[in-house]
Amino acid sequence: MELPGGLLCDGRLGRDYRFKTVTGELERALTESGFYTCTLPEQVTRILSCSLSEVAGVAVDEALCRSLSAGDRQFLVLQLEALIDASPRWITALCAGCGEQLQFQITPGSLPMKPAGEDYPESALKLSIGEVSLRVPNGGDEEFISAQASDNGSLLHGLLSRLVSS
């Protein structure tokens, strides 16, 4: 299986990944992943770092998990769910149009995935101030934003300052 985005290593985009074997030790680590973390993105980093063995041929640690795009992190959590328990699940949601309750069944790991575009993970943009580079948000950005206690305007400014460079 491949990541939708991938990891840029030495100018090459690697999309392969491998989970560790699910054992009682891994299940315990997942159960305790919320201990000593303050935010959900930090917990996701911990979950991925203890459950993945490698990404793009690179051994996994927390720093690597922070560097993965937000989309890849979400994808990996869903794939981990499928690895642990692939039983179909019933989802209940409300229709945004009429408010009627809907129920549908999904199988973990079966949601469609679209690979990232050719400019992934960074793209050049021409703005009135000149050319800038814009990269996709990663786990480090998620952790940064979730740790802030600011209003939405300053959060957006903080995130943009991390993602845009000249």
Side-chain angles (χ1 to χ4, degrees):
M1 195 81 173
E2 291 190 335
L3 294 170
L7 188 63
L8 197 57
C9 297
D10 300 324
R12 183 186 73 81
L13 190 62
R15 290 190 160 129
D16 59 301
Y17 67 91
R18 191 171 62 213
F19 282 112
K20 295 176 182 172
T21 303
V22 178
T23 62
E25 181 181 8
L26 176 58
E27 288 176 337
R28 180 178 180 176
L30 295 174
T31 302
E32 296 175 350
S33 65
F35 296 172
Y36 316 112
T37 59
C38 298
T39 65
L40 182 59
E42 289 175 347
Q43 186 177 8
V44 169
T45 298
R46 182 159 294 168
I47 286 169
L48 292 176
S49 68
C50 72
S51 61
L52 286 165
S53 61
E54 64 180 49
V55 173
V58 178
V60 172
D61 59 12
E62 286 193 6
L64 182 138
C65 292
R66 267 185 211 96
S67 73
L68 292 171
S69 74
D72 281 349
R73 288 163 55 93
Q74 181 180 18
F75 174 81
L76 286 166
V77 167
L78 292 172
Q79 295 306 307
L80 179 60
E81 176 190 15
L83 181 66
I84 293 170
D85 181 7
S87 309
R89 299 188 184 26
W90 283 98
I91 305 293
T92 302
L94 293 178
C95 174
C98 67
E100 193 71 28
Q101 204 172 48
L102 305 168
Q103 286 192 324
F104 52 95
Q105 191 177 50
I106 64 164
T107 303
S110 67
L111 295 175
M113 181 269 304
K114 177 183 170 194
E118 102 181 28
D119 289 336
Y120 177 88
E122 210 166 293
S123 184
L125 297 172
K126 290 184 183 180
L127 302 176
S128 60
I129 61 170
E131 190 168 298
V132 297
S133 179
L134 176 67
R135 69 170 174 79
V136 299
N138 62 29
D141 301 319
E142 291 178 320
E143 289 183 14
F144 170 79
I145 292 297
S146 67
Q148 305 302 308
S150 304
D151 64 86
N152 287 341
S154 63
L155 287 176
L156 179 60
H157 179 66
L159 179 61
L160 287 173
S161 68
R162 293 175 63 96
L163 301 179
V164 177
S165 59
S166 56

